[in-house]
Amino acid sequence: MHEANSSGQWWREGVLYQVYVPSFQDGNADGFGDLWGVEQRLDHIATLGVTAVWLSPVYGSPLLDFGYDVSDHTRIGEVFGDLAVFDRVVKGAHDRGLRVVLDYVPQHTSSEHPWFRDALSGRDSAHRDYYIWHDPSPDGGPPNNWASAFGGPAWTLHERTGQYYYHAHLPEQPSLNWRNPEVKRSMFDVMRFWLDRGVDGFRVDAVWRLIKDARLRDNPADDGGDSFEIGGAAAHTTVRQVQKYTADQPELPGLLAEMHAVTDEYDDRMLMGELHLKLERVAALGSRGLDLAMNFSLIDAPWNGLDLADLIRRYYAALPAGSQPNWVLSNHDRSRLASRIGPERVPGALALLLTLKGTPTLYYGDELGLPDVHVDSAHARDCAELRAPGLGLGRDPQRMPMPWSGTAAHAGFTAGDAEPWLPIASWAPSLSVERQETDPRSVLTQVKELLALRRELAALRRGAITVLSSDPEYLVHLRGDGDASVLVVVNLTDRRRSVPFPGSRTTRWSSHSAVGERDFLDGVVDLAPFEARLLTVGSPVTAAG
Ligand code: NOJ
């Protein structure tokens, strides 16, 4: 048993690293990332100093949503590898002390899945009720107004059997009927298949949509004022409606508890769920069957001290006792951090992510400070872009292949002649892992330093948190108590700022100067534009020497 298995609930002090497999590393020279590539790059992930790697879906799939359309739950898609390389990735990760979290997609299957093919064969087919079917409305249209996350109606008519089926996403992603006990049984067995192969947990896709209103009531229009969802899939559609009857139904917590009971059959496995709901609701679901109810609020936060402090305080206040906080700064569905808030703010944002109380999720490429890549219409691949071209709803820009090398062709992402599946920007090699590894102030170096401090300083992993500031231009928070506490100060502006803080401290880390420089500060810290610092209690090195 690998070392990390000896501690219970590893995710409570862990850091997750999200690998979007198609874009991480191509290992078979076809221009598309895969598990052979992940295997090659496990050392990068381990060297970063994270705890777990979360892999986007690698199952059999026609790839209309690049793996989020599963046609075979217990096979690895040919384009991603096979079970042999999957097992090697799990073992290689475990040997390095890393956990492996798999994306699990229970809300829908691909329309190519044998269950759905069978469901199409007739109203009496064995798997018909695995999906959500309904007769047309009296005018022949869809049964109600429910909209797809990718735009347009969420119902498609199957002419031969004369009924509509529901799909929260693409028509090629029919939603499963979780009111059917057979669906539960089959999908729980899918979990067991991968748990038996040694995975340490699941990121549960679209879990907030898992169960829908049994009466199929119409969703209300979104007046824009008090949106039910924050960001996420809501950002990829032109249709705005409140997901009142298609998400977060009263049956959801019970269902999550049943799902968790499956992971409880095994030691120390984790369930984290994708939930695009209001912050207070996300917080509440964290204690109801999910170990981590994913908190995306930083992605949409206005990047100023007042809004950030308010949202951080609100989140902690809403969390039920004992439930684990967590923070997501970026993912494969949203514009990259550097493009959202500007490259100069990235170190401060990463310092925030890695020092807030809770489990952080780091999106591949954010450790390099990558911005979005421009993808012209000829190269567009994402279904959200292809369905509504030019509206800025597509997700290709945040999925640029990882630049590993400053000199190799295709920045080292793929070794063959095949073009990478998405374009690699001309600036990418200058931000590559190879270039940043040797730069003492690169984003990569800073992320490694911050992760090393998290491992070293218990206050950053376990300490209580107090947000101390109320100022639009900076953010100050304190982790832990007394002599072991860590103060985190982030200048959010492009100007020098003097920031007051209680007591006296020394700089333990700065985004602007190499580790080792320690200055004694009494009640105020002068920060360079956008600088972030971690300050600990203790004698300055110079005074001691
Ligand atoms: C959420 C995933 O993050 C997104 O990429 C995907 O398109 C939808 N769920 C559908 O599976």
Side-chain angles (χ1 to χ4, degrees):
M1 191 175 278
H2 53 102
E3 190 220 331
N5 255 348
S6 54
S7 62
Q9 303 203 327
W10 56 268
W11 58 92
R12 287 195 175 255
E13 294 190 18
V15 177
L16 287 136
Y17 181 75
Q18 181 191 352
V19 168
Y20 188 67
V21 179
S23 300
F24 197 57
Q25 173 70 58
D26 175 18
N28 68 343
D30 63 356
F32 196 75
D34 47 44
L35 289 170
W36 297 290
V38 174
E39 186 183 22
Q40 286 170 31
R41 297 299 183 184
L42 282 175
D43 280 337
H44 170 78
I45 303 169
T47 312
L48 273 179
V50 296
T51 316
V53 51
W54 149 28
L55 301 173
S56 63
V58 286
Y59 314 103
S61 167
L63 300 180
L64 290 181
D65 195 5
F66 297 104
Y68 286 99
D69 46 334
V70 181
S71 54
D72 189 339
H73 288 107
T74 52
R75 187 172 59 79
I76 300 291
E78 289 86 27
V79 78
F80 292 118
D82 52 30
L83 281 172
V85 67
F86 177 81
D87 289 344
R88 291 203 305 276
V89 166
V90 173
K91 178 164 187 328
H94 287 171
D95 287 347
R96 290 166 176 82
L98 290 168
R99 305 285 182 154
V100 178
V101 172
L102 268 197
D103 225 305
Y104 170 63
V105 189
Q107 200 284 138
H108 49 276
T109 68
S110 159
S111 52
E112 300 290 308
H113 196 290
W115 296 339
F116 192 66
R117 286 172 167 273
D118 180 55
L120 293 182
S121 69
R123 289 197 186 196
D124 297 332
S125 69
H127 295 92
R128 182 74 169 186
D129 195 41
Y130 265 48
Y131 297 88
I132 301 168
W133 293 93
H134 204 274
D135 290 337
S137 66
D139 67 359
N144 63 20
N145 76 347
W146 293 353
S148 147
F150 292 131
W155 295 96
T156 291
L157 180 64
H158 182 239
E159 303 221 347
R160 207 168 55 72
T161 54
Q163 285 187 312
Y164 281 85
Y165 67 89
Y166 176 74
H167 47 88
H169 303 90
L170 297 175
E172 294 84 358
Q173 293 169 307
S175 292
L176 283 165
N177 173 15
W178 276 82
R179 295 180 185 278
N180 178 350
E182 278 294 296
V183 166
K184 280 195 213 173
R185 196 186 50 73
S186 302
M187 287 304 290
F188 290 164
D189 279 348
V190 168
M191 294 172 72
R192 292 187 186 98
F193 177 89
W194 297 103
L195 291 164
D196 285 340
R197 289 199 101 85
V199 307
D200 299 285
F202 297 104
R203 174 266 187 190
V204 190
D205 184 68
V207 75
W208 85 108
R209 301 181 190 271
L210 205 54
I211 193 148
K212 296 88 186 154
D213 180 39
R215 291 163 56 197
L216 305 190
R217 281 169 284 186
D218 275 352
N219 274 333
D222 186 351
D223 61 10
D226 189 21
S227 179
F228 190 77
E229 300 190 42
I230 47 169
H236 309 297
T237 177
T238 47
V239 183
R240 295 277 160 183
Q241 63 179 209
V242 180
Q243 305 287 299
K244 184 167 179 185
Y245 295 115
T246 43
D248 196 15
Q249 295 304 290
E251 297 90 341
L252 183 63
L255 197 49
L256 295 178
E258 284 184 67
M259 200 176 267
H260 202 280
V262 178
T263 55
D264 287 344
E265 295 166 14
Y266 299 76
D267 282 347
D268 216 19
R269 314 293 168 104
M270 188 267 307
L271 266 193
M272 66 172 181
E274 184 197 25
L275 299 160
H276 293 285
L277 298 168
K278 283 184 188 165
L279 191 56
E280 284 71 15
R281 194 63 199 137
V282 170
L285 283 164
S287 63
R288 308 289 299 275
L290 292 170
D291 298 302
L292 300 175
M294 294 177 81
N295 165 16
F296 300 102
S297 57
L298 280 180
I299 296 183
D300 291 307
W303 214 250
N304 73 72
L306 286 181
D307 283 298
L308 287 170
D310 176 57
L311 127 74
I312 294 166
R313 287 182 177 126
R314 262 179 56 214
Y315 177 56
Y316 292 121
L319 273 176
S323 69
Q324 174 66 6
N326 70 93
W327 298 94
V328 181
L329 200 49
S330 297
N331 62 25
H332 62 295
D333 290 330
R334 303 300 300 277
S335 176
R336 275 198 179 268
L337 176 65
S339 295
R340 293 198 322 265
I341 64 173
E344 61 288 340
R345 290 186 174 83
V346 165
L350 291 168
L352 196 61
L353 174 75
L354 298 174
T355 62
L356 285 173
K357 182 177 170 63
T359 309
T361 301
L362 184 65
Y363 183 46
Y364 91 94
D366 272 6
E367 77 272 38
L368 305 177
L370 296 183
D372 291 340
V373 63
H374 172 72
V375 179
D376 60 35
S377 55
H379 292 94
R381 304 295 298 267
D382 178 34
C383 53
E385 178 66 28
L386 300 176
R387 281 167 70 93
L391 295 183
L393 302 175
R395 300 169 294 180
D396 293 323
Q398 54 267 33
R399 298 173 177 180
M400 186 180 79
M402 180 84 161
W404 297 98
S405 166
T407 50
H410 305 308
F413 167 71
T414 179
D417 294 333
E419 278 300 304
W421 77 290
L422 281 172
I424 299 179
S426 57
W427 44 257
S430 68
L431 292 178
S432 62
V433 173
E434 184 182 40
R435 292 280 168 82
Q436 296 204 30
E437 245 161 15
T438 50
D439 174 352
R441 268 359 271 146
S442 68
V443 178
L444 178 59
T445 303
Q446 295 189 43
V447 167
K448 286 184 184 171
E449 289 170 356
L450 286 164
L451 286 165
L453 280 172
R454 246 187 103 93
R455 290 195 303 280
E456 180 190 332
L457 304 171
L460 292 179
R461 300 192 309 279
R462 301 197 272 275
I465 185 164
T466 317
V467 180
L468 296 176
S469 60
S470 265
D471 192 291
E473 302 203 332
Y474 58 84
L475 195 70
V476 184
H477 69 273
L478 183 70
R479 293 297 311 279
D481 306 311
D483 282 356
S485 64
V486 182
L487 190 78
V488 182
V489 190
V490 183
N491 180 2
L492 300 161
T493 73
D494 60 0
R495 295 178 306 284
R496 296 195 71 84
R497 280 284 337 204
S498 284
V499 176
F501 65 87
S504 55
R505 286 177 174 262
T506 52
T507 300
R508 183 62 203 272
W509 178 88
S510 159
S511 55
H512 282 52
S513 51
V515 175
E517 181 182 318
R518 295 186 179 202
D519 50 344
F520 182 71
L521 300 160
D522 201 5
V524 64
V525 52
D526 291 318
L527 297 177
F530 302 118
E531 184 178 1
R533 284 208 208 190
L534 270 59
L535 306 157
T536 50
V537 179
S539 307
V541 167
T542 44

